[in-house]
Amino acid sequence: MTPSTQSLALSSQSLVAAISNPGSLGTIESYIGTVNRLPMLTQQQETELGERLRDNDDLEAARQLVLSHLRLVVSVSRQYLGYGLPHADLIQEGNIGLMKAVKRFDPARGVRLVSFAVHWIKAEIHEYVVRNWRMVKVATTKAQRKLFFNLRRMRPDGQTLDPEQIAHIARELNVKPEEVSEMEVRLSGQEMALDQPHDDADTYAPIQYLADDGSEPTQVLERRAHDALQGEGLAEAIEQLDPRSRRIVEARWLQDEGGATLHELAAEFGVSAERVRQIEAAAFKKMRAVLA
């Protein structure tokens, strides 16, 4: 182990637990200050550590690669402070992306870890922001995510977009104009609790303005028709059956407790169980026709 690598290992003991909880060092400023004091790896050191991790699953090598790039996570996470989420949480998610990048890092590709890791760090932070920015998820498709992270920057002075601006943004981001308009509406809207209490007795929470589907006239009529179909309609359909078919249906399906089996009815009518099944199927077909 080279002197600078050894210094990195010795000076970073308190950061091992802090990777998953940046606030554990006291304040986020303390964490950032500690991270920025860690020495960076040279390309040769990075290559050696990467080979040890790739060839031998060396966890110590992985730890040193992660710790030496924590400052990168801090730098990337600052780009997402405008979404109103805690900086410590953004760093924590970025650290997860960094660890995923280190696990997949192969120095034989000739790419420095910093270039490889930045994409994984952003991916984890993107997922966290989309998942937690609002209670209702605003971006699910690839196009919506692209718009979510670029539209505010591309919208001049936060003003409402006109058709020409919408078309320009759609071309720049390779999305549909209607997707731009939809995301603009989503970003402009504000969340409101359905049962938000009000001090004013004359005002009502939004939930009180929602329609009760159970009292909607068409729903009431449909329920009545369904109940009639199950009662009067079923009785009428059974009346259309011949005595043997009616006996089989009633014995099999209209008993309060376990109905008769095919073999019990076969013995009663002196036919095979398969014949009873065929009579039952024909009876159901005729009953469905009557109910229709």
Side-chain angles (χ1 to χ4, degrees):
M1 183 181 294
T2 63
S4 61
T5 305
Q6 183 177 16
S7 174
L8 169 63
L10 294 175
S11 62
S12 61
Q13 295 299 321
S14 61
L15 278 173
V16 175
I19 290 176
S20 59
N21 183 15
S24 63
L25 290 181
T27 64
I28 191 64
E29 289 76 15
S30 299
Y31 173 86
I32 295 174
T34 304
V35 163
N36 289 334
R37 286 195 298 270
L38 292 175
M40 299 180 66
L41 298 174
T42 65
Q43 184 169 2
Q44 181 181 355
Q45 291 171 338
E46 184 180 290
T47 300
E48 292 174 356
L49 292 171
E51 290 173 348
R52 283 167 50 189
L53 175 60
R54 181 195 62 194
D55 300 336
N56 305 313
D57 289 331
D58 190 330
L59 294 182
E60 176 59 24
R63 187 179 73 92
Q64 293 184 39
L65 288 170
V66 169
L67 292 175
S68 64
H69 287 80
L70 291 177
R71 67 177 67 201
L72 172 63
V73 176
V74 172
S75 176
V76 173
S77 66
R78 286 198 179 102
Q79 303 172 22
Y80 300 90
L81 291 176
Y83 293 98
L85 298 171
H87 195 188
D89 290 349
L90 295 171
I91 292 176
Q92 179 178 340
E93 295 299 321
N95 286 344
I96 294 174
L98 173 61
M99 288 186 284
K100 289 182 177 180
V102 168
K103 181 179 180 181
R104 294 165 174 79
F105 178 57
D106 184 359
R109 296 177 180 175
V111 178
R112 292 295 301 268
L113 178 56
V114 63
S115 301
F116 180 68
V118 69
H119 301 288
W120 287 91
I121 294 169
K122 286 185 175 181
E124 290 297 322
I125 294 178
H126 282 188
E127 179 62 28
Y128 171 75
V129 171
V130 170
R131 190 172 61 246
N132 294 278
W133 187 60
R134 284 187 180 168
M135 186 178 298
V136 179
K137 199 169 184 178
V138 295
T140 54
T141 67
K142 183 178 180 180
Q144 288 174 350
R145 288 171 178 265
K146 188 186 301 184
L147 283 164
F148 178 82
F149 289 105
N150 290 279
L151 187 56
R152 291 199 303 177
R153 171 179 57 82
M154 301 178 70
R155 185 167 52 181
D157 300 326
Q159 300 298 318
T160 302
L161 299 174
D162 58 39
E164 184 177 346
Q165 292 170 331
I166 290 175
H168 172 72
I169 293 175
R171 287 193 302 270
E172 288 290 321
L173 299 179
N174 193 27
V175 297
K176 299 177 181 178
E178 52 267 28
E179 291 175 325
V180 178
S181 300
E182 180 182 356
M183 183 54 66
E184 182 186 20
V185 172
R186 292 188 180 189
L187 294 177
S188 300
Q190 296 295 328
E191 292 179 333
M192 179 182 294
L194 285 176
D195 56 350
Q196 182 178 2
H198 291 278
D199 297 332
D200 189 350
D202 295 331
T203 60
Y204 299 92
I207 196 171
Q208 295 174 290
Y209 293 97
L210 297 179
D212 181 4
D213 293 337
S215 301
E216 205 274 326
T218 58
Q219 296 287 340
V220 174
L221 293 176
E222 286 181 4
R223 285 199 301 271
R224 289 179 181 175
H226 182 266
D227 293 342
L229 186 63
Q230 286 189 320
E232 300 172 2
L234 183 60
E236 181 180 350
I238 291 178
E239 287 297 323
Q240 303 301 316
L241 302 177
D242 61 84
R244 184 170 65 172
S245 298
R246 186 185 313 141
R247 164 63 184 157
I248 290 174
V249 171
E250 290 177 344
R252 289 269 290 157
W253 302 103
L254 299 181
Q255 302 300 315
D256 292 335
E257 297 183 356
T261 66
L262 293 175
H263 292 284
E264 290 173 346
L265 292 170
E268 179 180 337
F269 291 107
V271 297
S272 66
E274 174 60 21
R275 179 56 184 155
V276 174
R277 188 196 65 77
Q278 293 173 354
I279 295 173
E280 180 184 65
F284 283 155
K285 183 178 180 180
K286 185 172 183 179
M287 290 173 65
R288 281 194 294 268
V290 173
L291 292 173

